[in-house]
Amino acid sequence: MIFDAHAHWISGTQPGGVDNLEYWLSTWELQGITHGLVMPLQALYDDACIRRENDEIAAACARSRGRMIPFCTVNPAQGEQALAEFSRCLNELGCRGLKLHPWLQGISLASRGVDELSELAGESGAPVLVHDGTPCFSLPSQAALLARRHPKTNFILGHCGLFEHWREAIDAMRHAENLWGCLCAPHLAALREIVARADIDRLLWGSDYGFGGADHIAYRRELFDALDLDADRREAIFARNPSRLFRLA
Amino acid sequence: MIEIIDGYCTLGTERETQIAPAELLRRMDRAGIGRAVVAPDDREIAVNNVRGNDRILEECRRAGGRFIPACTVNPWYGPAGCEELRRAAAAGARMLVLAPALQGYCLGDELMDDLLLLAGDLRMPVYVHTGPHSASSPAQLALVAARHPRTSFILGHCGSTDYAYDMPPVIKAGMQNLYFEASLARPWAVGAYGKLAPKQALIFGSSAPRNDAGFELEFLRRYLPPAEYPDVYGGNLARLLKEPHS
């Protein structure tokens, strides 16, 4: 198994448009990806797209023969409406987790709306993947404090701190045992340090595919390969950890 | 065969940029890179400017012309910093490196002005590290470049990652004294910038050893084919630095 823990579904940007599930799966197959989680993108920019994109993702994943794991998004600023949509996604659409992008969505991780959603996620066993690496709303340290406030919920740093905050990401994961890190975007030297210093059993790998083309996968796969990890650590990051976190069969 | 010049490498002595000159040369050979701009490491950029500049200049002297020396000055040193820039330039430094997030100010602070005016007088391009923090972004550098039209600026990393959103308007502003260096930017993003920017404004850089230069070069070529963008891989930087280029 090679699990891509960071991919976005973008309506209308793939050849054939949003309904072309086979394009996605064939792209993954060409790039050696067997499974992955699929998150919204347009809905992060535009609240009006939230419900539609959650529906589309759930429908596509349902037809993916178990290969695509649906994540939804809501805007925490919408309060009760956000909670209701998250409940609908979990209970009716079969979504397995929540994606939040604090700076795009204009919401602090310290806000009440995020706390309420985090509680619901924890009760449902659904991880929360947070964009990180970007001030002022998306720092790993902010995610660590959020994770400590909600010890029953698993959180994922979507980018392990990007280029400037990867040291902070390592520290954040040490600070909160329910905080995981997705190796998606730090440079090679940072990836080496993260793998060496962070808990290997809480690391995932991701491509950000969907945010761009298939080269996102190739680039980040080859970057990961350049780490030259032993078979056990590769297995942990590509398969064992996502299987445990996302409760894959 | 066009000579490839890497626009930014760190010849560091500690942490993630620890690399010996011989090893950097070996990696350049493997990637087919002829020359590389080499800069002091983070501690030297932040506080030990003189030591870093001397070290880099010395390593460049030993490298048989394959390293092009960059120097650094922290603007907080004020007049002493300007004096250090004059000294480093006289000793052979070809580029000034500023890293506001490391050096402790926001890009655009008037603290920088004397140094930037002097860099213009010395005809020394100023490489500015940009990043997802708010100490140094593409838009901030655009304002600085407008304020200092006689100084040439290289926008390091193209605001990667999250300030990539600001790159199209910055490029479209069409500033003649602003160049765009590709290291740490996603290759597909640089490909998009290639369609927006004048071809003479883009510069290949790897940020080795943070990145593997050969790996980055291979991917960038897919988006900016050398046949179509030959000067991105050396010619643009050579012209800016007034270096010969074959």
Side-chain angles (χ1 to χ4, degrees):
Chain A
M1 172 191 283
I2 294 184
F3 190 95
D4 185 342
H6 199 133
H8 293 279
W9 184 269
I10 310 179
S11 303
T13 55
Q14 311 295 347
V18 68
D19 294 325
N20 199 334
L21 174 66
E22 292 310 317
Y23 174 82
W24 259 70
L25 293 178
S26 64
T27 301
W28 272 4
E29 193 164 325
L30 279 172
Q31 300 290 338
I33 307 301
T34 60
H35 301 76
L37 66 83
V38 182
M39 304 179 286
L41 190 80
Q42 287 183 333
L44 304 175
Y45 295 85
D46 183 355
D47 291 349
C49 299
I50 288 174
R51 190 178 175 96
R52 175 177 57 81
E53 207 161 47
N54 288 339
D55 286 344
E56 288 176 0
I57 287 171
C61 293
R63 291 186 285 119
S64 72
R65 302 179 286 282
R67 295 180 59 191
M68 297 163 70
I69 308 299
F71 265 46
C72 64
T73 194
V74 298
N75 189 331
Q78 293 181 331
E80 287 299 321
Q81 187 182 336
L83 281 167
E85 174 62 7
F86 186 32
S87 293
R88 185 184 77 91
C89 291
L90 291 170
N91 300 319
E92 297 177 25
L93 302 184
C95 289
R96 308 275 287 276
L98 176 68
K99 159 80 174 191
L100 295 178
H101 200 304
W103 78 256
L104 275 182
Q105 296 180 309
I107 186 83
S108 164
L109 287 176
S111 70
R112 180 178 164 187
V114 171
D115 278 331
E116 289 173 344
L117 290 163
S118 298
E119 276 302 295
L120 178 54
E123 290 164 10
S124 308
V128 180
L129 189 148
V130 180
H131 168 90
D132 77 301
T134 318
C136 60
F137 284 158
S138 302
L139 295 176
S141 52
Q142 294 166 330
L145 296 182
L146 174 67
R148 287 289 288 261
R149 289 202 300 278
H150 302 281
K152 293 179 181 167
T153 310
N154 283 311
F155 295 86
I156 306 163
L157 296 172
H159 296 292
C160 277
L162 292 174
F163 293 137
E164 301 285 344
H165 295 277
W166 55 269
R167 286 189 165 87
E168 182 180 330
I170 295 169
D171 199 33
M173 284 187 272
R174 287 176 177 164
H175 186 75
E177 291 182 352
N178 55 331
L179 185 60
W180 297 54
C182 184
L183 301 170
C184 175
H187 54 64
L188 183 60
L191 291 173
R192 282 204 178 96
E193 291 289 321
I194 295 165
V195 168
R197 293 159 58 185
D199 179 1
I200 195 77
D201 292 327
R202 282 185 283 146
L203 292 179
L204 309 165
W205 171 85
S207 71
D208 228 348
Y209 174 56
F211 193 56
D215 263 5
H216 268 71
I217 303 174
Y219 179 81
R220 297 215 164 94
R221 270 293 309 275
E222 291 180 36
L223 206 56
F224 184 82
D225 288 346
L227 295 173
D228 202 21
L229 298 180
D230 59 54
D232 185 65
R233 288 195 290 176
R234 282 176 67 90
E235 174 74 9
I237 293 168
F238 275 151
R240 219 160 52 226
N241 298 343
S243 294
R244 196 167 83 252
L245 181 60
F246 304 118
R247 294 180 293 178
L248 304 178
Chain B
M1 188 84 170
I2 296 167
E3 182 198 21
I4 298 171
I5 304 176
D6 189 334
Y8 199 92
C9 296
T10 301
L11 210 46
T13 61
E14 59 176 330
R15 310 218 298 176
E16 70 268 20
T17 58
Q18 190 171 356
I19 187 168
E23 175 61 15
L24 183 58
L25 286 169
R26 192 179 67 77
R27 294 185 193 182
M28 287 165 59
D29 287 341
R30 199 170 58 200
I33 294 169
R35 284 177 289 170
V37 173
V38 293
D41 64 24
D42 288 1
R43 191 184 304 274
E44 292 164 341
I45 288 174
V47 290
N48 290 338
N49 299 165
V50 175
R51 191 179 76 185
N53 294 340
D54 284 345
R55 182 177 68 84
I56 292 298
L57 286 162
E58 180 57 27
E59 295 297 356
C60 290
R61 281 185 206 105
R62 292 177 181 169
R66 294 194 63 192
F67 292 155
I68 301 169
C71 67
T72 189
V73 171
N74 190 327
W76 280 108
Y77 284 119
C82 289
E83 195 49 46
E84 172 58 12
L85 180 59
R86 283 193 193 89
R87 186 191 75 89
R94 310 300 300 280
M95 178 191 282
L96 171 64
V97 174
L98 297 179
L102 262 181
Q103 294 176 317
Y105 53 91
C106 281
L107 186 56
D109 191 314
E110 65 272 17
L111 187 72
M112 313 165 65
D113 283 344
D114 288 346
L115 198 58
L116 298 179
L117 286 170
L118 176 59
D121 291 343
L122 294 170
R123 302 281 186 271
M124 182 181 281
V126 181
Y127 181 103
V128 183
H129 286 273
T130 64
H133 44 70
S134 57
S136 183
S137 78
Q140 290 168 340
L141 185 55
L143 297 193
V144 169
R147 208 165 78 210
H148 293 277
R150 292 176 50 249
T151 307
S152 294
F153 295 90
I154 301 172
L155 201 164
H157 320 310
C158 291
S160 192
T161 55
D162 293 43
Y163 285 114
Y165 291 92
D166 289 352
M167 283 299 292
V170 167
I171 291 171
K172 288 175 183 173
M175 308 183 74
Q176 301 295 307
N177 60 334
L178 191 54
Y179 295 78
F180 308 101
E181 187 265 350
S183 68
L184 297 181
R186 311 312 193 210
W188 42 90
V190 182
Y193 304 150
K195 293 181 173 63
L196 292 174
K199 285 184 177 175
Q200 67 271 17
L202 286 171
I203 292 169
F204 161 70
S206 73
S207 272
R210 283 188 168 91
N211 285 321
D212 181 279
F215 179 87
E216 299 296 326
L217 191 56
E218 180 193 328
F219 265 88
L220 189 60
R221 282 172 169 144
R222 299 182 193 177
Y223 292 89
L224 294 178
E228 196 178 340
Y229 296 91
D231 287 346
V232 170
Y233 297 92
N236 292 339
L237 184 60
R239 271 194 298 280
L240 186 58
L241 300 178
K242 297 182 175 53
E243 284 275 320
H245 186 239
S246 53

